[in-house]
């Protein structure tokens, strides 16, 4: 037996957890990110100060620290993550947004918020909610709906089972997401005699389940009848490290591949079957074949409304075969369910298909469409002008990223433009958070990516809107000597929402950063970044931007490159797909309402038999 406080036991346990897949073991918790207050400083804070097995990183914002953990988890293909510790009250509730993003994106993060006293002797505490229905309710209960597992440790004896349950969820690819262990501040400091086996090195084996045989036979039968099949590759392809299996499958059977936001990079740009992005922010190549497809093979995708163009993209009689680690996602669009790991599912499906191959004409058409789209992207990337276009900015960053670069983005008009335009070098080169599309994720998430992959150059693309919401993790990067290249695209407002506002008849209200009289604001974001310790370069032209990117890449410090663009410009080729945002039935011009009603008629429920 070993006598430790609850907090000390938590830290020691976390430091000795490992994950394993395909025979490769790695430490599951690379460290703990945290901000200390009275609710955790005497517990988790003291434990981290004494036990150096679990490295500590000081964050500057509680929401940001969860984004950093999520970025780390995604860059690690969900085989490793970071723990996050906060005080009680606002420190804990600040994590809700980050937790929602992690859970929506199926990424493992562990939250350790401080909580009210379990003994209640000192109640009401500073920052206690005092819910009149029950003294057991605290603000940490708001983390329940955004957590895949939630528990409150009111007694030391409860800790071992809670820790094991937390690890089970975190390492289960079908269940993973945010996990919350609420730690009352008095319990954190309470000592207990723990069995030594709790702190033994523990390896959690991440499974690769295979599809059920009967379902496999049904899927093969459906595909053999296909004339125009299409693969939609989602984030599960990358999480399961199945890019090679996907490529082999596509080449063997001649099936073109379209990619969701989370799946982008599953095939590198330039592969003859790589159609690029699909859906509302897709390429015309992918969307054309999606409309014509008779069977869609969804691999690791959850079919968001952007992927399906709000269910207007695929033909009403299209059939779906879904390879997914979760039955919940595999069942979508009335799909034939292959509940399996992407690697194993693709390999088994390939074996079941035998000598079948899609018609050669499909590959030829894919090639023609890809060449047409590549020409459109070349034209967008080559745009010159002052201020530079957003497409030209993306093109310059794409060139600077090269083979080892990673682009990080999350919100605004850039994720859609990146999905269309970015030419990925392969898995891990594209990191856009678009499950939650959370403004403020960019710099914090980029920090997590760089921590997980220090050998890669990380390029963060962030708009002025997102930057103003959460720029403070620049300080963390500077303090820790973690190099990021941040391209701050300043267009004095919300470009994407401005265009959307106009399209639904809201007249761009609240989408420009201007003074009350309509004049420009005396705000200097480049000066702000410099005040946070970053090296700052102002780029006025595309040539300036390219030069600044080369210098930043050659350097070893965090650099912010400030570049202005035109908020009103629309310089990216259209996806020729739709996204459903309701139009008010009274107020907007009749033509806008008519266009929306016509688009709604093109939606399909896809209720055909699976």
């Amino acid at each position: 037996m070993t006598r430790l406080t609850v907090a000390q036991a938590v830290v020691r346990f976390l430091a000795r957890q490992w994950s394993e897949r395909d025979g490769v073991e790695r430490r599951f918790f690379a460290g703990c990110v945290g901000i200390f207050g009275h609710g955790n400083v005497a517990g988790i804070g003291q434990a981290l100060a004494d036990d150096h097995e679990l490295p500590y990183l000081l964050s500057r914002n509680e929401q940001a620290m969860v984004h950093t953990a999520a970025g780390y988890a995604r860059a690690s293909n969900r085989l490793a993550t970071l723990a996050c510790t906060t005080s009680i009250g606002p420190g804990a509730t600040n994590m809700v947004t980050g937790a929602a993003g992690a859970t929506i994106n199926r990424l493992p993060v562990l939250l350790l918020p401080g909580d009210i006293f379990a003994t209640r002797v000192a109640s009401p505490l500073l920052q206690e909610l005092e819910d009149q229905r029950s003294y057991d309710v605290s603000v940490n209960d708001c983390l329940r709906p955004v957590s895949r597992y939630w528990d409150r440790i009111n007694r030391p004896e409860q800790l071992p089972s809670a820790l094991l349950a937390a690890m089970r969820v975190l390492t289960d690819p079908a269940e993973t997401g945010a996990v919350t262990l609420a730690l009352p501040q008095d319990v954190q400091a309470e000592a207990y005699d723990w069995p030594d086996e709790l702190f033994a090195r523990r390896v959690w084996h991440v499974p690769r389940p295979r599809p059920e045989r009967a379902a496999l036979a049904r899927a093969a039968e459906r595909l053999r009848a296909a004339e125009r099949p299409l693969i939609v590759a989602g984030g599960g392809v990358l999480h399961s490290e199945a890019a090679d299996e996907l490529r082999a499958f596509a080449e063997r059977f001649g099936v073109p591949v379209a990619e969701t936001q989370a799946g982008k990079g599953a095939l590198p740009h330039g592969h003859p079957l790589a159609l690029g992005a699909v859906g509302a922010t897709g390429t015309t190549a992918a969307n054309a074949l999606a409309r014509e497809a008779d069977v869609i093979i969804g691999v690791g995708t959850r079919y968001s409304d952007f992927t399906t163009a709000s269910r207007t993209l695929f033909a009403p009689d299209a059939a779906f075969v879904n390879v997914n680690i979760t039955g919940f996602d595999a069942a979508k669009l009335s799909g034939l369910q292959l509940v399996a790991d992407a690697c194993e599912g693709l390999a088994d499906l390939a074996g079941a298909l035998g000598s079948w191959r899609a018609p050669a004409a499909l590959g030829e058409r894919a090639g023609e469409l890809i060449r047409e789209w590549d020409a459109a992207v070349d034209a967008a990337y080559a745009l010159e002008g002052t201020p530079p276009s957003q497409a030209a900015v993306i093109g310059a960053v794409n060139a600077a990223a090269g083979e080892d670069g990673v682009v990080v983005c999350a919100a605004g008009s850039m994720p859609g433009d990146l999905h269309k335009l970015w030419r990925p070098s392969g898995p891990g080169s594209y990191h856009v958070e678009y499950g939650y599309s959370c403004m403020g994720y960019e710099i914090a998430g980029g920090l997590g990516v760089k921590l997980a992959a220090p050998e890669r150059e990380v390029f963060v693309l962030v708009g002025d809107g997102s930057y103003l919401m959460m720029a403070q993790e620049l300080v963390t990067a500077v303090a820790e000597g973690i190099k990021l290249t941040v391209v701050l695209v300043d267009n004095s407002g919300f470009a994407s929402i401005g265009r959307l506002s106009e399209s639904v008849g809201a007249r761009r209200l609240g989408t420009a950063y201007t003074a009350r009289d309509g004049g420009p604001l005396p705000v200097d974001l480049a000066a702000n970044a410099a005040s946070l310790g970053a090296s700052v370069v102002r780029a006025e032209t595309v040539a300036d931007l390219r030069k600044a990117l080369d210098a930043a890449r050659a350097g070893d410090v965090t650099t912010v490159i400030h570049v202005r663009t035109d908020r009103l410009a629309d310089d990216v080729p259209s996806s020729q797909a739709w996204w459903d945002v309701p139009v008010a039935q009274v107020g907007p011009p009749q033509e806008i309402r008519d266009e929306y009603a016509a688009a709604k008629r093109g939606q399909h429920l896809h209720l055909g038999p699976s």
Side-chain angles (χ1 to χ4, degrees):
M1 307 292 284
T2 300
R3 190 164 183 81
L4 298 170
T5 68
V6 167
Q8 290 163 358
V10 169
V11 169
R12 186 166 298 188
F13 175 88
L14 298 182
R16 297 177 182 180
Q17 305 306 299
W18 293 68
S19 68
E20 176 276 328
R21 188 167 68 187
D22 300 335
V24 178
E25 296 182 1
R26 62 188 299 173
R27 193 180 294 276
F28 190 73
F29 292 103
C32 181
V33 193
I35 298 175
F36 296 120
H38 69 276
N40 66 339
V41 66
I44 295 291
Q46 186 280 328
L48 287 167
D50 276 3
D51 191 334
H52 301 295
E53 278 191 87
L54 192 67
Y56 167 71
L57 181 72
L58 171 62
S59 182
R60 269 67 187 180
N61 178 280
E62 293 89 357
Q63 177 184 327
M65 73 171 71
V66 187
H67 293 326
T68 296
Y72 191 102
R74 179 172 167 183
S76 303
N77 295 321
R78 306 195 297 195
L79 298 172
T81 189
L82 301 168
C84 302
T85 180
T86 72
S87 186
I88 73 169
T93 54
N94 278 352
M95 293 198 292
V96 173
T97 296
T103 294
I104 287 169
N105 285 294
R106 322 296 210 259
L107 297 172
V109 298
L110 177 63
L111 313 183
L112 302 171
D115 211 328
I116 55 178
F117 278 66
T119 55
R120 303 183 184 173
V121 174
S123 294
L125 306 179
L126 173 66
Q127 299 171 340
E128 182 172 348
L129 183 63
E130 284 198 278
D131 190 307
Q132 296 182 40
R133 296 165 297 177
S134 172
Y135 283 120
D136 189 49
V137 175
S138 80
V139 296
N140 286 344
D141 287 81
C142 69
L143 285 159
R144 287 180 185 265
V146 295
S147 298
R148 296 292 287 167
Y149 177 80
W150 186 101
D151 207 346
R152 178 179 285 120
I153 313 304
N154 284 312
R155 291 294 308 144
E157 294 91 336
Q158 298 170 348
L159 183 65
S161 61
L163 288 172
L164 294 175
M167 287 303 304
R168 175 190 62 79
V169 173
L170 289 167
T171 58
D172 184 340
E175 291 292 327
T176 197
V179 166
T180 299
L181 296 182
L183 301 171
Q185 52 191 300
D186 53 344
V187 177
Q188 285 186 50
E190 187 174 344
Y192 188 75
D193 292 319
W194 308 96
D196 290 336
E197 57 261 38
L198 179 63
F199 308 116
R201 185 179 186 274
R202 191 180 301 268
V203 180
W204 297 83
H205 302 283
V206 179
R208 288 195 181 277
R210 298 178 66 172
E212 187 250 341
R213 290 182 182 178
L216 195 62
R218 290 191 293 270
E221 181 181 8
R222 177 169 292 181
L223 272 171
R224 287 194 201 97
E227 293 290 328
R228 300 174 304 281
L230 174 71
I231 295 170
V232 173
V237 174
L238 300 179
H239 294 153
S240 64
E241 299 172 300
D244 289 343
E245 286 73 14
L246 175 70
R247 182 173 187 159
F249 186 97
E251 290 174 352
R252 176 177 169 182
F253 301 111
V255 182
V257 177
E259 297 169 331
T260 70
Q261 279 279 14
K264 193 171 173 72
L267 284 187
H269 172 260
H271 189 283
L273 292 170
L275 300 167
V278 68
T281 53
T283 71
T284 52
N287 287 346
L289 290 190
R291 291 186 181 94
E292 298 167 8
D294 53 0
V295 177
I296 293 92
I297 310 168
V299 186
T301 177
R302 61 191 188 94
Y303 289 115
S304 77
D305 60 342
F306 265 75
T307 298
T308 67
S310 298
R311 299 205 181 193
T312 63
L313 185 60
F314 303 113
D317 59 349
F320 295 82
V321 173
N322 296 330
V323 182
N324 206 293
I325 198 76
T326 71
F328 179 81
D329 290 320
K332 289 177 177 175
L333 303 182
S334 301
L336 196 156
Q337 303 171 47
L338 292 183
V339 180
D341 168 79
C343 279
E344 298 292 347
L346 286 170
D348 285 356
L349 184 56
L353 285 172
S355 61
W356 173 83
R357 186 173 172 83
L362 181 63
E364 294 168 2
R365 175 154 168 72
E368 293 171 2
L369 292 168
I370 290 168
R371 286 189 290 274
E372 290 174 7
W373 180 256
D374 279 346
V377 175
D378 287 341
Y381 274 3
L383 289 171
E384 297 289 343
T386 304
S389 70
Q390 184 158 284
V393 169
I394 291 172
V397 178
N398 205 164
E403 292 296 312
D404 66 338
V406 184
V407 65
V408 181
C409 192
S413 59
M414 275 188 293
D417 292 352
L418 283 164
H419 195 210
K420 292 179 186 177
L421 301 178
W422 190 266
R423 292 168 165 172
S425 60
S429 62
Y430 184 87
H431 186 113
V432 173
E433 188 285 290
Y434 215 62
Y436 208 34
S437 188
C438 183
M439 295 182 73
Y441 175 91
E442 293 88 346
I443 296 172
L447 189 66
V449 173
K450 186 65 175 178
L451 285 168
E455 74 283 0
R456 304 193 76 155
E457 290 289 325
V458 176
F459 295 86
V460 175
L461 271 169
V462 60
D464 48 334
S466 278
Y467 180 88
L468 283 168
M469 288 196 179
M470 195 170 294
Q472 58 268 55
E473 294 313 298
L474 284 174
V475 179
T476 302
V478 171
E480 299 292 335
I482 300 167
K483 177 192 171 184
L484 300 175
T485 298
V486 179
V487 180
L488 172 51
V489 181
D490 187 348
N491 54 28
S492 299
F494 302 126
S496 64
I497 296 302
R499 288 196 289 270
L500 181 62
S501 173
E502 193 169 49
S503 73
V504 298
R507 299 187 295 280
R508 292 184 178 262
L509 176 66
T511 62
Y513 289 161
T514 58
R516 176 59 66 180
D517 62 6
L521 289 173
V523 175
D524 189 336
L525 298 183
N528 175 263
S531 76
L532 297 179
S535 175
V536 173
V537 180
R538 298 175 189 264
E540 301 295 332
T541 66
V542 177
D544 292 342
L545 175 60
R546 294 191 187 106
K547 183 178 178 181
L549 286 165
D550 288 343
R553 185 180 178 99
D556 58 4
V557 299
T558 287
T559 301
V560 174
I561 303 170
H562 179 271
V563 56
R564 287 195 176 276
T565 60
D566 183 357
R567 183 178 72 257
L568 301 179
D570 190 5
D571 43 48
V572 175
S574 171
S575 67
Q576 297 178 12
W578 183 65
W579 182 44
D580 190 350
V581 176
V583 173
Q585 293 184 353
V586 176
Q590 185 64 44
E591 60 268 22
I592 292 179
R593 301 201 302 274
D594 289 345
E595 288 174 4
Y596 178 73
K600 288 288 288 182
R601 288 193 291 271
Q603 287 182 306
H604 314 298
L605 294 178
H606 297 294
L607 299 177
S610 59

